[in-house]
Amino acid sequence: MSLFNRLLIIAVLLPAWLSAQVNISGKVTDGKKRPVAGANISIKDSYDGAVTKADGSFSFQVTPAGEQTLIATMAGYQPLEMKINTAESQQLDIVLKNAARELKVVTIAAGSFEASDEKKNTVLKPLDIVTTAGAGADIVNAIKTLPGTQQTNDREGLFVRGGTGYETQTVIDGMLVRNPFSSGVPDMPGRGRFSPFLFKGTTFSSGGYSAQYGQGLSSALILESTDLPARSSASAGVSVIGVNGGVETLSKDKRTSYGVEADYTNLAPYFNVVKPKQEVNLGPEIIGTSANFRRKTSKTGMLKFYGYANWSNMGFDYKSLEYPGSTESYQVRNHNIYTNMTYRENLGSGWKLYAGASFSTNTDKIKTDTLPKNPAETNIGVRSDLTQTKLMLTKGLGNFSALRVGAEYQYAVERSAFNQYNLNYVDNYAAGFAEADVYFTPAFAGRFGGRTEYSSVLGKVNFAPRASLAYKVGYNGQFTLAYGDYYQKPEPQYIRFDRGLDYMKATHYIASYQLLSNYYTFRTEVFYKQYKNLVKTVPDYNNNGDGFAKGIEVFWRDRKTVKNMDYWVSYSYLDTKRDYLNYPYRVQPDFAANHTASFVAKYFVTKIQTNFGLTYSFASGRPYYNPNQPVSKFMSDKTINYNSVGASVSYLTSIRKAFTIFVVQVSNVFNQQQVFGYRYSSDGLRRNEIVPNVPRFIFVGMFMNFGTDRRQDIINNL
Amino acid sequence: MKRFLLSLVVMAGISSATMAQSAQYEQTMAKNIGELDSTATFTPDALLQKAGLFERIGGAEKSQWQPYYYAAYCNVMSSLMQKDKSKVDGLADQAEADLTKAEQLNGNASEIACIKSLIATARLTVDPMNRGEQYGMISAKALEEGKQLNAENPRVYLLQGQALLYTPEAFGGSKTGGKALLEVALQKYAAFKPAGKLDPNWGEGYAKQLLQQASK
């Protein structure tokens, strides 16, 4: 063989000759010595390497080539490069650090339950509200399964942590809703006016909330409306209580959408079959309409309009307690309009703008009469008009920190008429707020701010400081502390009679711990709330009332342990006393139970496309006023415990191309006796139980939704 | 003369080294792509090993989109096969990261769209009740895109057919529609020629298998 040939062979085969292999092995762990599985270990610029096993170990062969760079990568961790000597076998211990951007940032959320589908880890998603058995697709009813709330199903509103329903404010896209509930009759509260499907996010705050929101002593229900729909669609529904239908159109450029909806509810046919305790003398019927318009004005700008108009008539006859043998008649005719327009845009260099305007009007016409004793009926008319505007600027500071400043103005006209007598007033309310979210580290943050308000009818200014701190422990846990002052105008029915009243005040102190992972949520909170300047009606109207509320709450949700099953449990202990209205001294009020608990379970059977839901709610007995007791025993009697089991079955299917749900819901399945209190005749000799008008309600309905353009075909072809 | 010979030898050595590199690339890729069809490889764990290897090849080669494409494919297939749904999002993230690299290297856009669709489907399976609408749309849209980019890509029809078959009729699924699409897919497979030896060419066997199951 010539030299040439020899050289040729050497040159061509050179790479292969170097192929004597050495072993590189080791283990990859994270900062807490937990094994990291699935990490990719490689020698830079070569194919050599391995993926770590479940125990974090790896092992592979390389061709010795002196010093080489070893790279370890894993999603969620900072990539690591190290020099190794490949001349001989190596045993390596590699520690990967969490990538900074993957570090979960602490959120400031004392007292609040966020129910939004935007974020991955939320407590309640919009669909959860609809599928909660016994809640009847009502937002507030579903919220009543969360800790801090009372099972006050005889009164309107959300009663939170020893507060009344009036102390909870409802906010849609930052704008206050003056009348979030439809008008009910005594002992039969109205439902929430707004469908859960309107909202992409629901935040229920049971205290310690942001300075953005005012005029709620106890709680805020913050609703955020949906953005542009994914497609044009039409929907229709029919149930034992009524019909509804709507269309929603998305423009071709997918930047604009508009929709209209209408519904008609009439309970009379149902009440012909299932007799309510009280006899119907008007309706009950509701006509509702709504319209919305949304436009994406730029990449970051969004304009939204929502308008709602609703008419309802409802009336009942019941046996007179005061005049045995007579009949009391009560009828209410309600008319409500709510409109809301908001605009959001990024102004550049970290500034964001929010502007909103809203107008609403609500009229209740009430007729009461005692028949046949008193042939002259009593007419009560109440009308509230509210115009409001709000402006807020947010400036991002650094990675997470932000500063918010804003102002709002409300013009309210409250009219009321009692037969021929009128009592009207106008209030100009202005408020300003500033708040900073300060991240000391991604895991430790504070929110500091304040709010100042002026109400012309009260003629007084208030200032409410708010502060909270949040500290993240571990990957999923966090501690939060919150403090804040909250002011609220007295209810219109008191301001009407006495313009000299002052704001009522509550101070919140909250400490909470929560553990939030994709499939589990655990949280517990302790709180102390101090009430001052509550309205009293004796000897005359004054602000000398006060009180406190303290308690502990626990919430647990688990979506993993049982396949296709999602359940949550909440428990609240409440100790509260207050002196307000005509109370002689501080007592536990008649809307507060010491112990409340809920269990909600949902089980989806994929094979038959059916969702089964079960909700159990418990509340210990509530105090009630018994005029036969001496003053020293005021409000010392208690009702029986409250128990309620609701069940629902929803079957999902398609009829032609329409997505269809059949729903059967039964409230109070076991027909357990529920007593919310007693009402006494003025001589104290006779009393009536306050009980649900319909002890067990059976709802059967069918809802359809279908696409109205070709984009739907894509979905159907999925 | 001697000099000339020597320079020839040196040149031969150099070119053989680079050829060896490229041959090693083609060989390794071809071998591993081939193994993807074997049942031993098509398990959630083995696919992750393969995904790691393809990522390493991509890192070493730098200019080839195919390694990242297959890494994304392995990651998303593994995520779809995971029993523990809490692992799906992480794997889908990884698949997405790989796919972005394949995209940046100007990989075959129609094939990449198909993987995008699979990633959305994987995310959907984590929480069908809440994620159904959002990811269902993304998944279907990606396939529409894939079809627009190359109407002859058989994988578009395979995935569309599969989606129709596995979507409950209640949600717009259809056995007959799915079968029809799978038959289209098979016709397209018969005519399909990948642009390069290492370009995506998977799924024909699976399409036949699906069709057989659907026809039972």
Side-chain angles (χ1 to χ4, degrees):
Chain A
M1 194 187 276
S2 71
L3 174 70
F4 171 75
N5 279 345
R6 246 185 275 167
L7 273 172
L8 190 65
I9 287 166
I10 292 168
V12 171
L13 296 183
L14 195 66
W17 281 1
L18 297 172
S19 297
Q21 305 258 292
V22 298
N23 194 44
I24 308 288
S25 61
K27 192 173 170 177
V28 180
T29 53
D30 66 3
K32 287 184 176 149
K33 298 196 171 161
R34 289 176 299 202
V36 176
N40 200 356
I41 311 298
S42 59
I43 300 292
K44 198 173 184 179
D45 295 328
S46 87
Y47 300 176
D48 296 330
V51 174
T52 57
K53 295 181 190 144
D55 62 355
S57 70
F58 66 91
S59 167
F60 60 91
Q61 307 273 316
V62 292
T63 310
E67 191 178 81
Q68 293 272 30
T69 305
L70 180 131
I71 308 175
T73 55
M74 172 75 193
Y77 294 87
Q78 295 177 17
L80 180 118
E81 289 196 10
M82 61 195 281
K83 299 269 184 233
I84 59 164
N85 180 6
T86 54
E88 53 198 59
S89 290
Q90 297 278 340
Q91 175 73 30
L92 303 164
D93 279 323
I94 296 172
V95 180
L96 287 180
K97 284 189 196 148
N98 274 328
R101 67 180 175 84
E102 302 287 338
L103 239 182
K104 280 197 198 164
V105 175
V106 66
T107 52
I108 299 161
S112 79
F113 276 95
E114 218 159 312
S116 144
D117 60 2
E118 273 187 326
K119 293 167 189 158
K120 275 184 182 169
N121 302 322
T122 50
V123 174
L124 276 190
K125 295 185 183 183
L127 203 61
D128 293 333
I129 293 169
V130 186
T131 52
T132 298
D138 183 78
I139 297 172
V140 164
N141 280 342
I143 298 278
K144 278 181 185 170
T145 64
L146 298 180
T149 58
Q150 291 286 332
Q151 299 293 334
T152 42
N153 298 331
D154 53 328
R155 299 170 193 221
E156 185 181 288
L158 202 51
F159 288 65
V160 180
R161 291 185 174 171
T164 65
Y166 177 69
E167 294 174 25
T168 297
Q169 286 293 10
T170 303
V171 173
I172 295 181
D173 290 338
M175 306 304 291
L176 188 72
V177 187
R178 174 69 179 77
N179 298 89
F181 298 94
S182 58
S183 294
V185 298
D187 307 338
M188 269 182 68
R191 277 169 61 91
R193 290 187 183 276
F194 304 106
S195 152
F197 288 116
L198 285 170
F199 306 106
K200 66 176 177 190
T202 306
T203 304
F204 166 57
S205 172
S206 50
Y209 42 92
S210 148
Q212 275 180 70
Y213 309 107
Q215 293 300 309
L217 284 185
S218 283
S219 163
L221 186 59
I222 298 155
L223 305 167
E224 216 182 312
S225 64
T226 51
D227 293 326
L228 289 172
R231 62 189 175 119
S232 296
S233 67
S235 59
V238 55
S239 74
V240 290
I241 62 165
V243 291
N244 71 289
V247 289
E248 188 154 56
T249 306
L250 179 67
S251 71
K252 270 210 174 119
D253 62 4
K254 297 183 186 176
R255 297 171 67 94
T256 309
S257 80
Y258 58 90
V260 288
E261 265 184 325
D263 56 81
Y264 176 70
T265 305
N266 191 332
L267 280 158
Y270 186 88
F271 285 162
N272 280 336
V273 182
V274 184
K275 294 279 176 225
K277 277 190 79 95
Q278 299 169 356
E279 206 171 309
V280 179
N281 66 19
L282 175 67
E285 60 174 346
I286 305 168
I287 299 171
T289 58
S290 74
N292 69 66
F293 174 82
R294 299 176 196 125
R295 176 157 178 85
K296 211 166 160 37
T297 52
S298 71
K299 213 174 170 188
T300 49
M302 188 80 193
L303 179 75
K304 284 181 182 176
F305 168 81
Y306 176 71
Y308 163 98
N310 181 290
W311 296 262
S312 72
N313 296 318
M314 194 180 290
F316 289 90
D317 279 340
Y318 43 97
K319 290 189 185 100
S320 176
L321 184 62
E322 201 62 30
Y323 309 105
S326 295
T327 300
E328 302 280 356
S329 154
Y330 187 100
Q331 297 186 334
V332 55
R333 291 175 169 82
N334 173 267
H335 168 209
N336 180 282
I337 291 175
Y338 177 79
T339 59
N340 172 328
M341 178 121 113
T342 59
Y343 175 62
R344 283 174 212 270
E345 177 61 289
N346 285 1
L347 301 176
S349 55
W351 286 95
K352 279 183 193 166
L353 167 80
Y354 160 89
S358 154
F359 171 75
S360 63
T361 175
N362 185 74
T363 309
D364 280 321
K365 285 188 178 141
I366 299 164
K367 269 186 192 169
T368 66
D369 210 349
T370 308
L371 295 165
K373 192 182 174 302
N374 180 7
E377 60 186 22
T378 303
N379 282 292
I380 300 165
V382 181
R383 178 172 164 184
S384 318
D385 295 348
L386 180 69
T387 309
Q388 55 182 325
T389 56
K390 186 173 179 180
L391 191 73
M392 182 165 79
L393 287 166
T394 308
K395 163 85 174 154
L397 305 166
N399 274 346
F400 312 111
S401 298
L403 177 73
R404 271 184 297 278
V405 288
E408 64 184 296
Y409 169 71
Q410 297 177 1
Y411 175 74
V413 182
E414 299 281 349
R415 295 185 183 90
S416 87
F418 186 85
N419 291 337
Q420 67 271 37
Y421 308 106
N422 287 310
L423 273 173
N424 304 331
Y425 72 87
V426 172
D427 186 34
N428 288 279
Y429 165 92
F433 58 87
E435 194 172 62
D437 290 354
V438 184
Y439 279 81
F440 307 110
T441 73
F444 180 44
R447 173 180 286 169
F448 311 96
R451 181 180 178 92
T452 182
E453 300 172 319
Y454 172 76
S455 153
S456 68
V457 71
L458 302 184
K460 291 180 182 78
V461 177
N462 70 46
F463 174 72
R466 318 244 165 120
S468 44
L469 287 174
Y471 180 65
K472 195 152 196 69
V473 277
Y475 198 59
N476 294 318
Q478 78 170 54
F479 284 105
T480 312
L481 291 174
Y483 155 82
D485 278 351
Y486 297 82
Y487 289 95
Q488 190 169 14
K489 292 184 271 185
E491 278 123 305
Q493 68 248 43
Y494 307 126
I495 297 181
R496 270 189 239 294
F497 292 104
D498 191 333
R499 307 289 162 83
L501 288 173
D502 200 350
Y503 300 100
M504 305 183 288
K505 182 185 176 187
T507 306
H508 299 185
Y509 303 89
I510 300 168
S512 78
Y513 172 73
Q514 86 173 14
L515 199 66
L516 207 62
S517 76
N518 275 330
Y519 297 96
Y520 306 103
T521 305
F522 170 78
R523 66 184 281 154
T524 180
E525 277 194 10
V526 289
F527 67 92
Y528 178 78
K529 181 158 63 170
Q530 195 178 20
Y531 283 103
K532 268 186 186 162
N533 299 344
L534 294 178
V535 171
K536 285 200 56 112
T537 54
V538 288
D540 49 10
Y541 290 97
N542 63 62
N543 276 102
N544 297 338
D546 59 10
F548 71 87
K550 60 189 178 189
I552 182 162
E553 294 161 0
V554 183
F555 178 81
W556 166 250
R557 184 175 184 179
D558 170 2
R559 283 182 278 181
K560 190 167 183 187
T561 308
V562 184
K563 206 181 170 217
N564 291 327
M565 174 151 147
D566 173 9
Y567 72 87
W568 66 85
V569 188
S570 49
Y571 167 76
S572 319
Y573 170 73
L574 171 70
D575 176 14
T576 181
K577 281 187 177 154
R578 59 165 60 197
D579 175 13
Y580 88 133
L581 304 182
N582 59 352
Y583 287 19
Y585 49 88
R586 279 188 180 187
V587 292
Q588 183 173 338
D590 57 1
F591 51 79
N594 293 122
H595 304 273
T596 44
S598 290
F599 172 76
V600 178
K602 297 163 189 194
Y603 186 67
F604 191 72
V605 184
T606 327
K607 245 189 182 168
I608 51 170
Q609 297 298 326
T610 303
N611 189 75
F612 296 91
L614 187 78
T615 300
Y616 169 64
S617 297
F618 167 86
S620 57
R622 271 159 44 186
Y624 64 89
Y625 171 59
N626 179 351
N628 300 317
Q629 296 276 23
V631 174
S632 63
K633 291 203 162 177
F634 179 77
M635 225 42 114
S636 60
D637 295 284
K638 282 194 178 176
T639 63
I640 57 166
N641 291 343
Y642 171 87
N643 287 286
S644 174
V645 176
S648 74
V649 179
S650 339
Y651 171 61
L652 315 176
T653 181
S654 77
I655 294 178
R656 293 180 177 265
K657 288 210 159 180
F659 174 65
T660 306
I661 309 180
F662 290 94
V663 184
V664 179
Q665 283 209 359
V666 185
S667 70
N668 194 10
V669 177
F670 301 111
N671 217 357
Q672 283 160 302
Q673 198 194 6
Q674 299 169 345
V675 180
F676 298 114
Y678 294 89
R679 187 162 283 125
Y680 283 80
S681 59
S682 47
D683 57 13
L685 295 177
R686 294 171 300 281
R687 71 174 194 181
N688 277 347
E689 283 175 346
I690 301 172
V691 294
N693 199 16
V694 185
R696 180 203 282 151
F697 199 90
I698 300 171
F699 176 90
V700 181
M702 177 181 117
F703 302 93
M704 303 175 85
N705 184 291
F706 36 91
T708 51
D709 65 10
R710 279 219 56 234
R711 258 160 294 168
Q712 170 63 7
D713 295 344
I714 298 176
I715 293 186
N716 285 344
N717 286 339
L718 178 70
Chain B
M1 181 66 193
K2 238 184 178 177
R3 254 201 177 161
F4 171 73
L5 281 178
L6 203 63
S7 66
L8 242 181
V9 167
V10 171
M11 271 168 66
I14 291 166
S15 69
S16 109
T18 54
M19 261 172 63
Q21 171 76 13
S22 133
Q24 188 199 2
Y25 170 66
E26 295 211 347
Q27 252 177 31
T28 316
M29 285 292 282
K31 172 172 169 279
N32 284 289
I33 294 167
E35 280 172 17
L36 289 180
D37 291 335
S38 88
T39 47
T41 307
F42 218 75
T43 68
D45 289 340
L47 276 171
L48 289 187
Q49 298 291 332
K50 284 282 181 233
L53 174 65
F54 283 121
E55 280 166 18
R56 291 197 296 273
I57 297 175
E61 294 296 335
K62 295 187 175 70
S63 62
Q64 307 286 348
W65 65 274
Q66 290 92 342
Y68 287 117
Y69 169 88
Y70 284 105
Y73 170 81
C74 292
N75 274 317
V76 74
M77 283 299 171
S78 173
S79 80
L80 283 163
M81 289 155 79
Q82 292 292 335
K83 288 218 168 72
D84 179 359
K85 291 289 173 206
S86 68
K87 289 187 177 159
V88 172
D89 275 324
L91 292 174
D93 288 346
Q94 188 60 45
E96 221 158 62
D98 292 332
L99 204 61
T100 307
K101 285 181 187 154
E103 230 173 347
Q104 283 163 353
L105 293 167
N106 294 321
N108 184 321
S110 173
E111 300 291 357
I112 287 171
C114 288
I115 304 292
K116 274 187 187 160
S117 166
L118 283 170
I119 292 173
T121 305
R123 292 197 194 276
L124 186 154
T125 60
V126 176
D127 186 0
M129 276 252 276
N130 285 302
R131 292 184 175 190
E133 193 177 346
Q134 186 192 355
Y135 287 107
M137 281 284 283
I138 297 175
S139 176
K141 264 188 191 162
L143 289 180
E144 280 301 307
E145 259 174 52
K147 192 168 162 181
Q148 271 173 24
L149 288 162
N150 178 9
E152 300 308 310
N153 183 351
R155 276 162 291 283
V156 168
Y157 305 92
L158 164 66
L159 295 178
Q160 282 182 337
Q162 171 180 259
L164 266 192
L165 277 186
Y166 283 124
T167 305
E169 303 231 334
F171 298 104
S174 154
K175 261 203 166 163
T176 46
K179 268 161 61 178
L181 276 166
L182 287 174
E183 268 153 19
V184 176
L186 285 178
Q187 287 168 18
K188 303 275 182 190
Y189 273 117
F192 185 77
K193 285 241 157 57
K197 211 170 86 182
L198 303 178
D199 280 14
N201 195 17
W202 53 269
E204 187 169 5
Y206 180 58
K208 282 181 184 153
Q209 200 185 320
L210 268 183
L211 193 59
Q212 231 173 28
Q213 275 173 21
S215 307
K216 267 181 198 167

